[in-house]
PDB file of all heavy atoms in Angstrom:
ATOM      1  N   LEU A   1     -36.360 -25.505   6.664  1.00 98.00           N
ATOM      2  CA  LEU A   1     -35.741 -25.637   5.348  1.00 98.00           C
ATOM      3  C   LEU A   1     -34.241 -25.865   5.469  1.00 98.00           C
ATOM      4  O   LEU A   1     -33.660 -26.685   4.742  1.00 98.00           O
ATOM      5  CB  LEU A   1     -36.039 -24.409   4.485  1.00 98.00           C
ATOM      6  CG  LEU A   1     -37.359 -24.455   3.690  1.00 98.00           C
ATOM      7  CD1 LEU A   1     -38.562 -24.519   4.623  1.00 98.00           C
ATOM      8  CD2 LEU A   1     -37.481 -23.243   2.765  1.00 98.00           C
ATOM      9  N   CYS A   2     -33.603 -25.169   6.394  1.00 98.00           N
ATOM     10  CA  CYS A   2     -32.164 -25.349   6.576  1.00 98.00           C
ATOM     11  C   CYS A   2     -31.845 -26.748   7.108  1.00 98.00           C
ATOM     12  O   CYS A   2     -30.848 -27.355   6.717  1.00 98.00           O
ATOM     13  CB  CYS A   2     -31.620 -24.278   7.512  1.00 98.00           C
ATOM     14  SG  CYS A   2     -31.573 -22.622   6.781  1.00 98.00           S
ATOM     15  N   ALA A   3     -32.711 -27.254   7.978  1.00 98.00           N
ATOM     16  CA  ALA A   3     -32.501 -28.613   8.483  1.00 98.00           C
ATOM     17  C   ALA A   3     -32.574 -29.630   7.349  1.00 98.00           C
ATOM     18  O   ALA A   3     -31.799 -30.603   7.311  1.00 98.00           O
ATOM     19  CB  ALA A   3     -33.537 -28.935   9.559  1.00 98.00           C
ATOM     20  N   ARG A   4     -33.502 -29.434   6.423  1.00 98.00           N
ATOM     21  CA  ARG A   4     -33.606 -30.348   5.281  1.00 98.00           C
ATOM     22  C   ARG A   4     -32.374 -30.254   4.385  1.00 98.00           C
ATOM     23  O   ARG A   4     -31.901 -31.278   3.851  1.00 98.00           O
ATOM     24  CB  ARG A   4     -34.879 -30.051   4.478  1.00 98.00           C
ATOM     25  CG  ARG A   4     -35.081 -30.956   3.269  1.00 98.00           C
ATOM     26  CD  ARG A   4     -35.122 -32.417   3.651  1.00 98.00           C
ATOM     27  NE  ARG A   4     -35.273 -33.280   2.477  1.00 98.00           N
ATOM     28  CZ  ARG A   4     -34.942 -34.559   2.454  1.00 98.00           C
ATOM     29  NH1 ARG A   4     -34.449 -35.156   3.538  1.00 98.00           N
ATOM     30  NH2 ARG A   4     -35.109 -35.271   1.349  1.00 98.00           N
ATOM     31  N   MET A   5     -31.844 -29.046   4.217  1.00 98.00           N
ATOM     32  CA  MET A   5     -30.627 -28.879   3.425  1.00 98.00           C
ATOM     33  C   MET A   5     -29.463 -29.640   4.046  1.00 98.00           C
ATOM     34  O   MET A   5     -28.652 -30.249   3.337  1.00 98.00           O
ATOM     35  CB  MET A   5     -30.308 -27.395   3.282  1.00 98.00           C
ATOM     36  CG  MET A   5     -31.316 -26.638   2.420  1.00 98.00           C
ATOM     37  SD  MET A   5     -31.130 -24.846   2.512  1.00 98.00           S
ATOM     38  CE  MET A   5     -29.566 -24.632   1.659  1.00 98.00           C
ATOM     39  N   VAL A   6     -29.383 -29.624   5.372  1.00 98.00           N
ATOM     40  CA  VAL A   6     -28.334 -30.388   6.049  1.00 98.00           C
ATOM     41  C   VAL A   6     -28.492 -31.870   5.749  1.00 98.00           C
ATOM     42  O   VAL A   6     -27.519 -32.572   5.439  1.00 98.00           O
ATOM     43  CB  VAL A   6     -28.376 -30.127   7.570  1.00 98.00           C
ATOM     44  CG1 VAL A   6     -27.446 -31.094   8.304  1.00 98.00           C
ATOM     45  CG2 VAL A   6     -27.987 -28.684   7.876  1.00 98.00           C
ATOM     46  N   LYS A   7     -29.722 -32.371   5.812  1.00 98.00           N
ATOM     47  CA  LYS A   7     -29.967 -33.780   5.535  1.00 98.00           C
ATOM     48  C   LYS A   7     -29.602 -34.150   4.098  1.00 98.00           C
ATOM     49  O   LYS A   7     -29.189 -35.280   3.815  1.00 98.00           O
ATOM     50  CB  LYS A   7     -31.441 -34.113   5.788  1.00 98.00           C
ATOM     51  CG  LYS A   7     -31.818 -34.170   7.244  1.00 98.00           C
ATOM     52  CD  LYS A   7     -31.100 -35.306   7.965  1.00 98.00           C
ATOM     53  CE  LYS A   7     -31.555 -35.438   9.400  1.00 98.00           C
ATOM     54  NZ  LYS A   7     -30.822 -36.533  10.110  1.00 98.00           N
ATOM     55  N   ARG A   8     -29.717 -33.208   3.188  1.00 98.00           N
ATOM     56  CA  ARG A   8     -29.381 -33.480   1.785  1.00 98.00           C
ATOM     57  C   ARG A   8     -27.891 -33.292   1.501  1.00 98.00           C
ATOM     58  O   ARG A   8     -27.441 -33.476   0.379  1.00 98.00           O
ATOM     59  CB  ARG A   8     -30.209 -32.583   0.860  1.00 98.00           C
ATOM     60  CG  ARG A   8     -31.685 -32.964   0.828  1.00 98.00           C
ATOM     61  CD  ARG A   8     -32.386 -32.349  -0.376  1.00 98.00           C
ATOM     62  NE  ARG A   8     -31.774 -32.715  -1.648  1.00 98.00           N
ATOM     63  CZ  ARG A   8     -31.946 -33.879  -2.272  1.00 98.00           C
ATOM     64  NH1 ARG A   8     -32.710 -34.805  -1.742  1.00 98.00           N
ATOM     65  NH2 ARG A   8     -31.362 -34.114  -3.436  1.00 98.00           N
ATOM     66  N   GLY A   9     -27.123 -32.895   2.504  1.00 98.00           N
ATOM     67  CA  GLY A   9     -25.683 -32.764   2.319  1.00 98.00           C
ATOM     68  C   GLY A   9     -25.262 -31.479   1.647  1.00 98.00           C
ATOM     69  O   GLY A   9     -24.175 -31.408   1.057  1.00 98.00           O
ATOM     70  N   VAL A  10     -26.111 -30.445   1.722  1.00 98.00           N
ATOM     71  CA  VAL A  10     -25.758 -29.142   1.143  1.00 98.00           C
ATOM     72  C   VAL A  10     -24.631 -28.520   1.971  1.00 98.00           C
ATOM     73  O   VAL A  10     -24.668 -28.549   3.208  1.00 98.00           O
ATOM     74  CB  VAL A  10     -26.993 -28.222   1.109  1.00 98.00           C
ATOM     75  CG1 VAL A  10     -26.622 -26.814   0.673  1.00 98.00           C
ATOM     76  CG2 VAL A  10     -28.053 -28.812   0.178  1.00 98.00           C
ATOM     77  N   THR A  11     -23.644 -27.969   1.304  1.00 98.00           N
ATOM     78  CA  THR A  11     -22.462 -27.441   1.989  1.00 98.00           C
ATOM     79  C   THR A  11     -22.756 -26.142   2.730  1.00 98.00           C
ATOM     80  O   THR A  11     -22.300 -25.945   3.862  1.00 98.00           O
ATOM     81  CB  THR A  11     -21.332 -27.223   0.973  1.00 98.00           C
ATOM     82  OG1 THR A  11     -20.937 -28.492   0.441  1.00 98.00           O
ATOM     83  CG2 THR A  11     -20.122 -26.550   1.613  1.00 98.00           C
ATOM     84  N   ALA A  12     -23.523 -25.233   2.106  1.00 98.00           N
ATOM     85  CA  ALA A  12     -23.768 -23.929   2.725  1.00 98.00           C
ATOM     86  C   ALA A  12     -24.897 -23.218   1.999  1.00 98.00           C
ATOM     87  O   ALA A  12     -25.268 -23.587   0.873  1.00 98.00           O
ATOM     88  CB  ALA A  12     -22.503 -23.064   2.693  1.00 98.00           C
ATOM     89  N   LEU A  13     -25.423 -22.202   2.655  1.00 98.00           N
ATOM     90  CA  LEU A  13     -26.416 -21.296   2.074  1.00 98.00           C
ATOM     91  C   LEU A  13     -25.809 -19.910   2.011  1.00 98.00           C
ATOM     92  O   LEU A  13     -25.281 -19.411   3.007  1.00 98.00           O
ATOM     93  CB  LEU A  13     -27.682 -21.267   2.936  1.00 98.00           C
ATOM     94  CG  LEU A  13     -28.685 -20.139   2.671  1.00 98.00           C
ATOM     95  CD1 LEU A  13     -29.270 -20.248   1.267  1.00 98.00           C
ATOM     96  CD2 LEU A  13     -29.789 -20.147   3.725  1.00 98.00           C
ATOM     97  N   ILE A  14     -25.894 -19.294   0.834  1.00 98.00           N
ATOM     98  CA  ILE A  14     -25.369 -17.940   0.645  1.00 98.00           C
ATOM     99  C   ILE A  14     -26.439 -17.091  -0.014  1.00 98.00           C
ATOM    100  O   ILE A  14     -27.034 -17.497  -1.018  1.00 98.00           O
ATOM    101  CB  ILE A  14     -24.086 -17.959  -0.210  1.00 98.00           C
ATOM    102  CG1 ILE A  14     -22.967 -18.668   0.572  1.00 98.00           C
ATOM    103  CG2 ILE A  14     -23.664 -16.549  -0.610  1.00 98.00           C
ATOM    104  CD1 ILE A  14     -21.685 -18.811  -0.179  1.00 98.00           C
ATOM    105  N   THR A  15     -26.687 -15.904   0.544  1.00 98.00           N
ATOM    106  CA  THR A  15     -27.707 -15.021  -0.018  1.00 98.00           C
ATOM    107  C   THR A  15     -27.389 -13.570   0.288  1.00 98.00           C
ATOM    108  O   THR A  15     -26.703 -13.268   1.268  1.00 98.00           O
ATOM    109  CB  THR A  15     -29.105 -15.365   0.537  1.00 98.00           C
ATOM    110  OG1 THR A  15     -30.077 -14.506  -0.043  1.00 98.00           O
ATOM    111  CG2 THR A  15     -29.151 -15.213   2.059  1.00 98.00           C
ATOM    112  N   ASP A  16     -27.904 -12.685  -0.565  1.00 98.00           N
ATOM    113  CA  ASP A  16     -27.811 -11.251  -0.287  1.00 98.00           C
ATOM    114  C   ASP A  16     -29.015 -10.781   0.523  1.00 98.00           C
ATOM    115  O   ASP A  16     -29.166  -9.595   0.797  1.00 98.00           O
ATOM    116  CB  ASP A  16     -27.696 -10.448  -1.580  1.00 98.00           C
ATOM    117  CG  ASP A  16     -28.812 -10.740  -2.578  1.00 98.00           C
ATOM    118  OD1 ASP A  16     -29.735 -11.521  -2.235  1.00 98.00           O
ATOM    119  OD2 ASP A  16     -28.769 -10.197  -3.693  1.00 98.00           O
ATOM    120  N   GLY A  17     -29.882 -11.727   0.917  1.00 98.00           N
ATOM    121  CA  GLY A  17     -31.022 -11.435   1.761  1.00 98.00           C
ATOM    122  C   GLY A  17     -30.768 -11.885   3.189  1.00 98.00           C
ATOM    123  O   GLY A  17     -29.626 -11.927   3.651  1.00 98.00           O
ATOM    124  N   VAL A  18     -31.863 -12.258   3.894  1.00 98.00           N
ATOM    125  CA  VAL A  18     -31.757 -12.620   5.300  1.00 98.00           C
ATOM    126  C   VAL A  18     -32.481 -13.948   5.558  1.00 98.00           C
ATOM    127  O   VAL A  18     -33.249 -14.429   4.720  1.00 98.00           O
ATOM    128  CB  VAL A  18     -32.352 -11.522   6.208  1.00 98.00           C
ATOM    129  CG1 VAL A  18     -31.632 -10.194   5.980  1.00 98.00           C
ATOM    130  CG2 VAL A  18     -33.855 -11.337   5.962  1.00 98.00           C
ATOM    131  N   VAL A  19     -32.210 -14.527   6.716  1.00 98.00           N
ATOM    132  CA  VAL A  19     -32.899 -15.737   7.148  1.00 98.00           C
ATOM    133  C   VAL A  19     -33.831 -15.397   8.307  1.00 98.00           C
ATOM    134  O   VAL A  19     -33.791 -14.301   8.860  1.00 98.00           O
ATOM    135  CB  VAL A  19     -31.898 -16.839   7.571  1.00 98.00           C
ATOM    136  CG1 VAL A  19     -31.065 -17.287   6.383  1.00 98.00           C
ATOM    137  CG2 VAL A  19     -30.996 -16.354   8.705  1.00 98.00           C
ATOM    138  N   ARG A  20     -34.683 -16.337   8.659  1.00 98.00           N
ATOM    139  CA  ARG A  20     -35.572 -16.184   9.810  1.00 98.00           C
ATOM    140  C   ARG A  20     -35.397 -17.386  10.735  1.00 98.00           C
ATOM    141  O   ARG A  20     -34.689 -18.331  10.395  1.00 98.00           O
ATOM    142  CB  ARG A  20     -37.027 -16.041   9.342  1.00 98.00           C
ATOM    143  CG  ARG A  20     -37.573 -17.262   8.633  1.00 98.00           C
ATOM    144  CD  ARG A  20     -38.890 -17.001   7.908  1.00 98.00           C
ATOM    145  NE  ARG A  20     -39.954 -16.534   8.757  1.00 98.00           N
ATOM    146  CZ  ARG A  20     -41.048 -17.245   9.054  1.00 98.00           C
ATOM    147  NH1 ARG A  20     -41.199 -18.471   8.559  1.00 98.00           N
ATOM    148  NH2 ARG A  20     -41.989 -16.738   9.817  1.00 98.00           N
ATOM    149  N   ASP A  21     -36.057 -17.346  11.902  1.00 97.00           N
ATOM    150  CA  ASP A  21     -35.875 -18.418  12.896  1.00 97.00           C
ATOM    151  C   ASP A  21     -34.394 -18.574  13.234  1.00 97.00           C
ATOM    152  O   ASP A  21     -33.830 -19.674  13.172  1.00 97.00           O
ATOM    153  CB  ASP A  21     -36.411 -19.765  12.381  1.00 97.00           C
ATOM    154  CG  ASP A  21     -37.875 -19.713  11.977  1.00 97.00           C
ATOM    155  OD1 ASP A  21     -38.669 -19.145  12.755  1.00 97.00           O
ATOM    156  OD2 ASP A  21     -38.214 -20.226  10.898  1.00 97.00           O
ATOM    157  N   LEU A  22     -33.769 -17.456  13.599  1.00 97.00           N
ATOM    158  CA  LEU A  22     -32.310 -17.429  13.730  1.00 97.00           C
ATOM    159  C   LEU A  22     -31.786 -18.520  14.653  1.00 97.00           C
ATOM    160  O   LEU A  22     -30.852 -19.245  14.288  1.00 97.00           O
ATOM    161  CB  LEU A  22     -31.864 -16.052  14.238  1.00 97.00           C
ATOM    162  CG  LEU A  22     -30.367 -15.909  14.504  1.00 97.00           C
ATOM    163  CD1 LEU A  22     -29.567 -16.110  13.230  1.00 97.00           C
ATOM    164  CD2 LEU A  22     -30.063 -14.550  15.125  1.00 97.00           C
ATOM    165  N   GLU A  23     -32.354 -18.637  15.832  1.00 97.00           N
ATOM    166  CA  GLU A  23     -31.850 -19.631  16.777  1.00 97.00           C
ATOM    167  C   GLU A  23     -31.951 -21.036  16.193  1.00 97.00           C
ATOM    168  O   GLU A  23     -31.021 -21.844  16.305  1.00 97.00           O
ATOM    169  CB  GLU A  23     -32.623 -19.543  18.091  1.00 97.00           C
ATOM    170  CG  GLU A  23     -32.089 -20.462  19.178  1.00 97.00           C
ATOM    171  CD  GLU A  23     -32.800 -20.272  20.509  1.00 97.00           C
ATOM    172  OE1 GLU A  23     -33.573 -19.307  20.651  1.00 97.00           O
ATOM    173  OE2 GLU A  23     -32.589 -21.112  21.416  1.00 97.00           O
ATOM    174  N   GLY A  24     -33.073 -21.312  15.537  1.00 98.00           N
ATOM    175  CA  GLY A  24     -33.249 -22.624  14.930  1.00 98.00           C
ATOM    176  C   GLY A  24     -32.306 -22.863  13.771  1.00 98.00           C
ATOM    177  O   GLY A  24     -31.767 -23.966  13.613  1.00 98.00           O
ATOM    178  N   VAL A  25     -32.117 -21.853  12.931  1.00 98.00           N
ATOM    179  CA  VAL A  25     -31.201 -21.977  11.799  1.00 98.00           C
ATOM    180  C   VAL A  25     -29.796 -22.298  12.293  1.00 98.00           C
ATOM    181  O   VAL A  25     -29.121 -23.208  11.783  1.00 98.00           O
ATOM    182  CB  VAL A  25     -31.197 -20.694  10.948  1.00 98.00           C
ATOM    183  CG1 VAL A  25     -30.029 -20.699   9.967  1.00 98.00           C
ATOM    184  CG2 VAL A  25     -32.514 -20.557  10.193  1.00 98.00           C
ATOM    185  N   MET A  26     -29.353 -21.584  13.305  1.00 97.00           N
ATOM    186  CA  MET A  26     -28.015 -21.837  13.831  1.00 97.00           C
ATOM    187  C   MET A  26     -27.936 -23.219  14.466  1.00 97.00           C
ATOM    188  O   MET A  26     -26.895 -23.885  14.414  1.00 97.00           O
ATOM    189  CB  MET A  26     -27.632 -20.738  14.810  1.00 97.00           C
ATOM    190  CG  MET A  26     -27.527 -19.374  14.142  1.00 97.00           C
ATOM    191  SD  MET A  26     -26.948 -18.055  15.232  1.00 97.00           S
ATOM    192  CE  MET A  26     -25.213 -18.480  15.375  1.00 97.00           C
ATOM    193  N   GLY A  27     -29.050 -23.667  15.018  1.00 98.00           N
ATOM    194  CA  GLY A  27     -29.074 -24.993  15.623  1.00 98.00           C
ATOM    195  C   GLY A  27     -28.950 -26.119  14.619  1.00 98.00           C
ATOM    196  O   GLY A  27     -28.546 -27.232  14.981  1.00 98.00           O
TER     197      GLY A  27
END
């Protein structure tokens, strides 16, 4: 999902929760 957001030109993701697939998200 984060990779798709990058492709759509989203500036950032902000949440009071957490993400998963940490290594992949950072990648």
Side-chain angles (χ1 to χ4, degrees):
L1 273 63
C2 289
R4 180 58 182 159
M5 292 169 69
V6 170
K7 287 295 185 181
R8 289 197 57 79
V10 173
T11 295
L13 166 64
I14 293 177
T15 181
D16 54 4
V18 301
V19 296
R20 64 193 301 248
D21 303 314
L22 176 62
E23 185 175 350
V25 167
M26 296 185 73

